[in-house]
Amino acid sequence: MSDDPNLPSNGLSYKQAGVDIDAGNALVEAIKPAVKSTRRPGADGEIGGFGGLFDLRAAGFTDPVLVAANDGVGTKLRIAIEAGIHDTVGIDLVAMCVNDLVVQGAEPLFFLDYFATGALDVAQGTAIVEGIAEGCRQAGCALIGGETAEMPGMYHGGDYDLAGFAVGAAERGSLLPRSDIGPGDKLVAIASSGVHSNGYSLVRKIVTMSGLDWSDPAPFAPETSLGAALLTPTKIYVKPLLDAIRSGLGIKALAHITGGGFQENIPRVLPQTLAARVNLAAVSTPNVFGWLAKQGGIAEREMLRTFNCGVGMLVAVGADDAEALVTRLESHGEIASIVGELVERSGDAVEFEGTLSL
């Protein structure tokens, strides 16, 4: 027992140091129904163990290649924290990982999350994990585990951070991009749901310049608040794209349009001999991008290298299959259109024609 009068007679506890074990246990119990709702063939275990299990044979694979991805939500979290809206950023977290898996032709199988905060708020944590579970359901993958880290002194106030880790699989020989990609293949754009999860440091700077609060009506969507509109979750393209790939349509490559926009992401799936020629006039650009461009005085090229500008996923497909692919994607509720083609590269890897409707 200590003789220091400033210490309690029974000694310090972890809770007095800022870590509430009981709150952590309460969160685990609160999220169990959400986690259970993501079960799928291959993943039937309970959370709470030291690791998550997945049975590839039970998932129907015979000779699989595993594909892994990890990502975060970035400074979009700052808006969620300041606006007090926590039930959608979990969808973003899953989307940023599983969309990177499907572009390689892989089916997302399971997901793990990392949630770090200064002081655990069970209601806040539950909303976040329920969003993660919703994202997993949309992607058809199981939430098989995660980590909640309560770290006083590292995070302050209501601050928190998220990271996600996803693993998928594809049968050997079916990965994308395909080797027969070539000039004349068409480019099909699949619409984004908005800003998704990239460029939010610039978004927040523009909002500060505008003088608006997160609770004010969004200038580009006045029926909802600015905070809620900018927190529209990233679209998850897994199910429609897996269906299209497995249907036999000639999908040769997929590009997830994230940080770096068109110029950085499209070349990642093209050989050095090919360039993408994109007709910007054929791209349907949501109102949020027009508002950001005008409010921030952002040039079109800067918009294209920072934001998705309305295209969340770009598909390279054989010319004979392009119209059928658009129709099939539309049958899943997606908005898709042909916006260009692949050509022999003579300069930049991405060539633009026309202008965006900002």
Side-chain angles (χ1 to χ4, degrees), residues 9-351:
S9 59
N10 60 345
L12 283 172
S13 68
Y14 206 10
K15 186 173 183 178
Q16 288 167 325
V19 178
D20 191 341
I21 294 174
D22 292 333
N25 291 334
L27 177 61
V28 171
E29 289 302 314
I31 65 176
K32 279 185 176 180
V35 173
K36 188 175 181 179
S37 72
T38 69
R39 284 180 172 177
R40 52 151 294 157
D44 296 313
E46 297 285 345
I47 61 168
F50 287 97
L53 304 178
F54 194 92
D55 185 340
L56 285 165
R57 184 174 296 175
F61 288 90
T62 56
D63 185 20
V65 176
L66 294 179
V67 183
N70 73 294
D71 212 330
V73 183
T75 58
K76 188 174 187 177
L77 290 179
R78 190 76 253 157
I79 300 176
I81 293 165
E82 293 176 3
I85 302 171
H86 308 288
D87 58 348
T88 57
V89 288
I91 301 174
D92 289 295
L93 184 66
V94 176
M96 295 303 291
C97 295
V98 298
N99 285 342
D100 279 354
L101 295 182
V102 76
V103 297
Q104 296 174 86
E107 175 188 345
L109 302 177
F110 59 87
F111 189 87
L112 299 100
D113 69 278
Y114 176 78
F115 169 41
T117 183
L120 186 58
D121 180 319
V122 175
Q124 180 195 71
T126 300
I128 291 167
V129 177
E130 286 178 345
I132 293 171
E134 171 59 24
C136 287
R137 289 191 294 270
Q138 290 183 23
C141 66
L143 178 57
I144 66 170
E147 168 70 4
T148 300
E150 191 173 16
M151 298 189 289
M154 290 290 290
Y155 299 89
H156 303 282
D159 289 355
Y160 61 85
D161 199 8
L162 295 173
F165 311 85
V167 173
E171 293 292 356
R172 195 175 305 276
S174 66
L175 291 171
L176 297 176
R178 281 173 28 180
S179 60
D180 61 342
I181 189 170
D185 290 339
K186 298 298 183 182
L187 297 174
V188 172
I190 311 178
S192 67
S193 55
V195 184
H196 283 187
S197 297
N198 301 103
Y200 273 85
S201 293
L202 181 54
V203 169
R204 291 185 303 109
K205 188 173 184 64
I206 292 169
V207 170
T208 299
M209 290 170 54
S210 75
L212 294 170
D213 292 324
W214 301 122
S215 59
D216 290 336
F220 51 88
E223 70 282 358
T224 188
S225 69
L226 179 60
L230 289 173
L231 287 170
T232 299
T234 306
K235 195 164 188 58
I236 293 175
Y237 299 96
V238 170
K239 291 181 179 179
L241 283 177
L242 285 179
D243 170 73
I245 292 168
R246 292 166 178 172
S247 71
L249 293 172
I251 293 178
K252 300 184 180 181
L254 297 166
H256 184 198
I257 309 301
T258 56
F262 288 69
Q263 294 98 314
E264 299 296 328
N265 290 289
I266 298 173
R268 295 168 67 180
V269 300
L270 297 180
Q272 293 292 322
T273 57
L274 291 179
R277 182 172 292 161
V278 180
N279 178 10
L280 296 177
V283 173
S284 179
T285 308
N287 292 338
V288 60
F289 295 108
W291 180 76
L292 290 169
K294 290 181 176 66
Q295 190 69 37
I298 307 171
E300 182 182 74
R301 282 303 175 103
E302 185 66 18
M303 290 293 294
L304 288 166
R305 71 192 300 264
T306 305
F307 300 113
N308 66 62
C309 295
V311 179
M313 194 72 71
L314 196 68
V315 188
V317 60
D320 292 342
D321 289 326
E323 292 290 352
L325 174 62
V326 169
T327 300
R328 195 168 191 103
L329 290 169
E330 289 176 342
S331 73
H332 286 275
E334 303 295 336
I335 300 172
S337 59
I338 299 171
V339 298
E341 63 180 352
L342 297 181
V343 297
E344 296 282 359
R345 188 183 303 191
S346 59
D348 293 337
V350 182
E351 303 174 5

